[in-house]
């Protein structure tokens, strides 16, 4: 049964007026920090957060020569986000849009879509980027959010260390060590869209040198609505469980073992091409999603601040839906060695191997030839970090070298320079070359896109099927990127971060028309008009991202602002074709986020988040302005009650529409949920 928060304008205005006045105007009462009150990090603590995405080693976020943002576990809790994509809306330069209740389009610096192909996503170092179509099934990716230590996000290329497909950005979700999640945790909640959710976790010791945790979580989420306000067929539910153990094997060696299992189903309505009148078939479908993974990570500290690391993992994914069945096994090994050469130079090198095997069963709408395929990826990288002048000027040079089954040998070099004229100022610049290698869909897929009725092509022409078909011998998509950034900490309560970029893309994937041919099966007899994958498109993009963090009253009132501007120019030689240049209008040109976090008294928190997202001309979607509100109360230590209202200010609005694999888009609307969380 579909339910929603009442959408009466008077109710919305009263709630927003009261909430926004509290969040943005109230001068908080004096209060002392208490053990029962979860407070935000100070700016100094925030600057000292260590991230590992940029250089594969821990370094202060303030000093990194890249456009890096971090969402802490506290940020996730206070935002009220219940999924990873919802949390990523808070990162400047990242585009996140709902397609329906269980599907997202997520990207960084453009080229947004459900099958966005230029964003590498990791969970504790395990890649969840699928080789089937070069993207991420966000509906299948989840963790216990209470166990997340931080989410690291790089906007811009990271292929030098992380390999092909880390083109426009990298996301790494880092969970806490088992030793930091001891004891028990229980949470539960319900609401209008979040119809039911809950989690349980318990952690303990394993002898004198080990810790463990076990967890389970599940949720059920309601349908969104269509353009008329009727419920869409896109509700979904998931169950997930897993474990993590961390061992100190000796004074110098550590070992982590972790794994997850998940099972769920997500409803959707496909719009399939049909050879029979009316040439389109709306097919309700339930996608069954299952999988599991097992990961081991060994680290050994050597003398002189050197170390070794070895990571192995196995990942199994299964999807069963009307469009396609897929089962995939992935095996991955990654080794790295870091050591110093003198006082001013540090070398990092590593080797990697990945094997992925898939088995597919197609349909008239989508199929692969061959149905089953194995793909190998061999890699090596080398990075040299040089201190050119004391602690003020640093140069980092490196490259990734890979051999894949699609395009053969590839390399991805980069150079990064950072200058620290004063401890509270950092200027950095970078130039990089990054690649996206072809996917199975680029090379082997056949999609039934649409049907042209008889006589559409010429007098007497039969029913015509328009297809999208893969093609071998494609080139890797190439990015040549220039970036310039500046971080400034002008006062103890204020932090600025600014980044500008210019990207040049070559050999982007598009399609070219082939020679029509006829088919007798399936019936009736029909003509096929194929469009084949081709490396014909180029692009230039540029933009900038700004963020500010202002502690108006330390420990009591924090205000964050993030703004991103993006311009995309696509072209195919001298051809100007609106059909192929549609991606120019599928990413917002302007995005703005304002987040006020208020602690009016010990144990009480209030957060207000306002988001503006610009129009998407290619999709005929208007710009929208929404607000999310959260009230959290801790009546006693380790017990928290929260009330969250999301997607306020507008009754409902569309955010994105999928292409190629066409499912019915739905619209987000007001929602309200309450939750309880208890640690013991």
């Amino acid at each position: 049964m579909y339910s929603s928060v009442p959408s009466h304008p008077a109710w919305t205005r009263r709630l927003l007026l009261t909430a926004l006045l509290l969040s943005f105007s109230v001068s908080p009462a004096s209060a002392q920090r208490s053990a029962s009150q979860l407070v935000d990090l100070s700016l100094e603590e925030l600057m000292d957060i260590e991230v590992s995405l940029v250089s594969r080693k821990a370094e202060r976020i303030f000093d990194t020569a890249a456009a890096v943002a971090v969402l802490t576990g506290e940020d996730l809790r206070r935002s009220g986000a219940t999924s990873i994509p919802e949390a990523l809306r808070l990162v400047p330069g990242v585009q996140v849009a709902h397609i329906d209740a269980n599907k997202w389009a997520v990207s960084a610096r453009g080229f947004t879509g459900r099958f966005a192909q230029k964003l590498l996503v990791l969970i504790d170092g395990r890649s969840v980027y699928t080789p089937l179509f070069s993207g991420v099934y966000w509906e299948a990716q989840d963790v216990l959010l209470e166990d997340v230590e931080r989410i690291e996000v790089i906007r811009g290329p990271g292929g030098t260390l992380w390999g092909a497909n880390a083109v426009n950005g990298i996301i790494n979700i880092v969970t806490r060590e088992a030793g930091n999640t001891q004891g028990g945790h229980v949470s539960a909640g319900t609401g209008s869209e979040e119809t039911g959710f809950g989690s349980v976790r318990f952690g303990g010791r394993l002898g004198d040198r080990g810790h463990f945790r076990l967890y389970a979580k599940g949720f059920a989420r309601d349908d969104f609505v269509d353009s008329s306000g009727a419920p869409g067929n896109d509700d979904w539910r998931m169950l997930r469980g897993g474990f993590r153990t961390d061992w100190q094997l000796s004074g110098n060696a550590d070992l982590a073992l972790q794994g997850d299992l998940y099972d769920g189903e997500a409803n959707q309505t496909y719009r399939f091409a049909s050879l029979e009148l009316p040439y389109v078939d709306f097919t309700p479908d339930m996608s069954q999603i299952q999988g599991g993974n097992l990961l081991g990570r060994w680290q050994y500290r050597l003398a002189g601040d050197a170390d070794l690391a070895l990571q192995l993992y196995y990942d199994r994914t299964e999807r069963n839906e009307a469009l396609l069945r897929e089962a995939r096994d992935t095996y991955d090994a990654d080794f790295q060695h870091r050591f110093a050469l003198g006082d001013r130079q540090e070398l990092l090198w590593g080797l990697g191997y990945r094997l992925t095997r898939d088995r597919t069963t197609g349909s008239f709408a989508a199929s692969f030839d061959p149905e089953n395929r194995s793909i190998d990826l061999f890699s090596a990288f080398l990075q040299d970090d040089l201190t050119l002048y004391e602690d003020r000027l640093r140069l980092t040079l490196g490259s990734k070298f890979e051999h894949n089954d699609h395009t053969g040998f590839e390399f991805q070099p980069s150079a990064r320079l950072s200058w620290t004229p004063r401890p509270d100022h950092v200027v950095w610049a970078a130039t990089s070359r990054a690649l996206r290698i072809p996917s199975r869909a680029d090379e082997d897929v056949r999609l039934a896109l649409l049907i042209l009725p008889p006589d559409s092509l010429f007098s007497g022409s039969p029913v015509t099927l328009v297809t999208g078909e893969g093609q071998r011998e494609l080139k890797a998509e190439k990015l040549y990127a220039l970036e310039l950034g500046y971080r400034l900490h002008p006062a103890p309560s204020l932090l600025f971060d600014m980044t500008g970029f210019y990207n040049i893309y070559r050999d982007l994937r598009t399609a070219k028309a082939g020679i029509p041919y006829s088919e007798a099966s399936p019936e009736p007899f029909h003509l096929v008009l194929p469009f084949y994958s081709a490396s014909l498109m180029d692009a230039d993009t540029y933009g900038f991202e700004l963020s500010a963090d202002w502690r108006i009253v330390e420990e009591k009132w924090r205000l964050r602002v993030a703004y991103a501007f993006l311009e995309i120019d696509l072209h195919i030689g001298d051809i100007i074709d609106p059909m192929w240049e549609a991606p120019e209008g599928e990413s917002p040109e302007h995005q703005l986020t304002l987040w006020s976090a208020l602690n009016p008294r010990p144990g009480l928190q209030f957060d207000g988040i306002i988001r503006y997202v610009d129009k998407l001309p290619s999709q005929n979607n208007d710009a929208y302005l929404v607000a999310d509100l959260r009230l959290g109360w801790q009546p006693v230590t380790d017990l928290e009650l929260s009330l969250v209202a999301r997607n306020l200010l507008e009754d409902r609005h569309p955010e994105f529409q999928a292409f190629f694999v066409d499912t019915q888009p739905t619209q987000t609307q007001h929602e309200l949920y309450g939750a309880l969380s208890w640690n013991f």
Side-chain angles (χ1 to χ4, degrees), residues 658-677:
F659 292 101
F660 298 113
V661 178
D662 193 357
T663 56
Q664 177 190 13
T666 53
Q667 301 186 5
T668 60
Q669 57 184 342
H670 301 325
E671 63 171 294
L672 181 71
Y673 77 83
L676 176 149
S677 179

Side-chain angles (χ1 to χ4, degrees), residues 320-479:
N320 184 357
E321 48 194 341
L323 178 76
L324 183 77
R325 291 185 179 184
E326 180 205 7
R328 179 174 298 277
D329 296 288
T330 301
Y331 306 84
D332 186 278
D334 184 271
F335 169 80
Q336 71 174 48
H337 178 205
R338 180 176 64 92
F339 61 96
L341 286 177
D343 297 332
R344 295 192 175 189
Q345 187 174 12
E346 185 176 80
L347 286 179
L348 179 68
W349 68 278
L351 301 171
Y353 172 70
R354 180 175 300 162
L355 169 65
T356 179
R357 294 173 175 164
D358 65 44
R359 289 162 298 285
T360 69
T361 302
S363 64
F364 174 71
S367 59
F368 284 82
D369 183 18
E371 289 188 330
N372 309 328
R373 188 174 175 186
S374 296
I375 297 172
D376 293 288
L377 176 66
F378 299 87
S379 65
F381 70 87
L382 176 65
Q383 179 170 278
D384 191 359
D385 195 340
L386 301 116
T387 300
L388 301 179
Y389 180 71
E390 296 179 348
D391 293 327
R392 297 193 175 187
L393 191 62
R394 193 179 76 176
L395 175 64
T396 304
L397 303 170
S399 184
K400 186 87 168 186
F401 307 94
E402 292 184 335
H403 187 278
N404 64 79
D405 289 347
H406 303 280
T407 62
F409 176 77
E410 302 284 1
F411 66 99
Q412 300 180 76
S414 73
R416 297 183 179 272
L417 182 68
S418 65
W419 176 43
T420 308
R422 294 171 48 186
D424 51 5
H425 294 255
V426 173
V427 181
W428 62 270
T431 179
S432 310
R433 180 182 189 265
L435 303 173
R436 183 186 79 84
I437 61 175
S439 66
R440 275 273 269 149
D442 291 324
E443 293 188 338
D444 302 330
V445 78
R446 172 172 157 156
L447 293 173
L449 298 177
L450 60 93
I451 300 294
L452 301 179
D455 301 318
S456 296
L457 293 183
F458 52 85
S459 178
S461 66
V463 171
T464 301
L465 169 64
V466 180
T467 62
E469 303 191 18
Q471 182 174 246
R472 298 291 178 99
E473 307 302 327
L474 295 170
K475 300 176 183 177
E477 295 186 342
K478 304 171 184 65
L479 166 66

Side-chain angles (χ1 to χ4, degrees), residues 52-251:
S52 57
L53 272 184
V54 179
S55 58
R56 277 190 176 238
K57 65 175 183 178
E59 60 178 327
R60 282 204 331 153
I61 186 173
F62 190 76
D63 299 329
T64 56
V68 183
V70 169
L71 294 173
T72 65
E74 175 72 355
D75 292 334
L76 298 180
R77 188 184 64 84
R78 295 201 61 154
S79 72
T82 54
S83 67
I84 294 169
E86 293 294 339
L88 294 174
R89 292 183 188 271
L90 303 171
V91 179
V94 175
Q95 294 89 38
V96 178
H98 264 293
I99 298 170
D100 60 22
N102 57 66
K103 298 179 188 64
W104 284 268
V106 181
S107 188
R109 295 183 177 175
F111 300 96
T112 311
R114 185 188 178 197
F115 303 115
Q117 304 164 326
K118 299 172 178 61
L119 183 66
L120 181 66
V121 181
L122 311 168
I123 298 179
D124 285 325
R126 173 177 56 88
S127 175
V128 297
Y129 181 102
T130 174
L132 188 72
F133 63 85
S134 296
V136 176
Y137 286 118
W138 286 101
E139 63 271 29
Q141 308 309 327
D142 196 11
V143 295
L144 184 61
L145 293 182
E146 289 83 357
D147 287 348
V148 173
E149 178 178 300
R150 66 187 185 275
I151 299 178
E152 303 177 14
V153 182
I154 290 181
R155 291 104 58 197
T160 296
L161 293 179
W162 300 101
N165 309 322
V167 178
N168 282 9
I170 316 172
I171 297 170
N172 189 23
I173 298 140
V174 181
T175 62
R176 298 175 183 173
E177 294 183 359
N180 295 327
T181 53
Q182 297 293 280
H185 164 83
V186 174
S187 66
T190 186
S192 59
E193 300 295 330
E194 304 281 348
T195 54
F197 59 91
S199 64
V200 59
R201 180 247 292 148
F202 182 76
R205 296 188 63 89
L206 293 169
D208 296 333
R209 294 191 173 187
H211 297 86
F212 76 92
R213 71 163 173 261
L214 303 171
Y215 83 91
K217 68 174 293 187
F219 64 79
R221 294 175 184 164
D222 203 4
D223 307 283
F224 282 175
V225 296
D226 62 22
S227 57
S228 68
N233 177 45
D234 55 357
D235 59 311
W236 62 312
R237 56 209 62 86
M238 292 284 289
L239 290 173
R240 182 179 301 265
F243 77 96
R244 174 164 175 164
T245 64
D246 289 277
W247 301 81
Q248 186 177 8
L249 301 180
S250 66

Side-chain angles (χ1 to χ4, degrees), residues 457-602:
L457 293 183
F458 52 85
S459 178
S461 66
V463 171
T464 301
L465 169 64
V466 180
T467 62
E469 303 191 18
Q471 182 174 246
R472 298 291 178 99
E473 307 302 327
L474 295 170
K475 300 176 183 177
E477 295 186 342
K478 304 171 184 65
L479 166 66
Y480 303 92
L482 298 172
E483 299 177 277
L484 180 64
Y486 179 42
R487 294 189 188 93
L488 172 64
H489 184 33
S493 61
L494 193 58
L495 178 66
F496 291 103
D497 193 342
M498 295 156 276
T499 303
F501 63 91
Y502 188 89
N503 291 336
I504 301 171
Y505 298 87
R506 295 293 179 263
D507 300 320
L508 294 180
R509 202 73 67 243
T510 183
K512 65 178 180 179
I515 299 174
Y517 59 92
S518 60
E519 280 186 340
S521 178
E523 295 181 341
F525 176 86
H526 55 277
L527 196 65
V528 178
L529 178 58
F531 283 82
Y532 294 103
S533 299
S535 303
L536 297 176
M537 183 177 287
D538 298 331
D540 299 286
T541 71
Y542 60 90
F544 58 89
E545 298 133 3
L546 308 175
S547 63
D549 195 329
W550 182 21
R551 309 305 170 97
I552 301 174
V553 180
E554 190 67 32
E555 300 180 11
K556 298 161 194 162
W557 192 7
R558 178 183 184 184
L559 185 63
R560 280 179 278 186
V561 181
Y563 170 75
F565 168 77
L566 174 67
E567 186 70 29
I568 301 176
D569 178 24
L570 296 172
H571 43 89
I572 306 175
D574 297 328
I575 300 173
I576 300 176
D577 188 334
M579 176 180 176
W580 302 130
E581 297 188 357
E584 290 183 358
E586 293 175 2
S587 298
E589 188 172 309
H590 303 277
Q591 289 192 116
L592 177 66
T593 301
L594 180 63
W595 184 355
S596 170
L598 181 67
N599 302 325
R601 51 173 292 181

Side-chain angles (χ1 to χ4, degrees), residues 28-39 555-556 598-606 632-637 639-640:
S30 176
Q32 297 295 320
R33 181 183 299 203
S34 66
S36 64
Q37 181 184 21
L38 292 172
V39 295
E555 300 180 11
K556 298 161 194 162
L598 181 67
N599 302 325
R601 51 173 292 181
L604 188 65
Q605 300 169 338
F606 187 79
W633 176 46
Q634 287 183 282
V636 296
T637 302
L639 176 66
E640 184 179 53

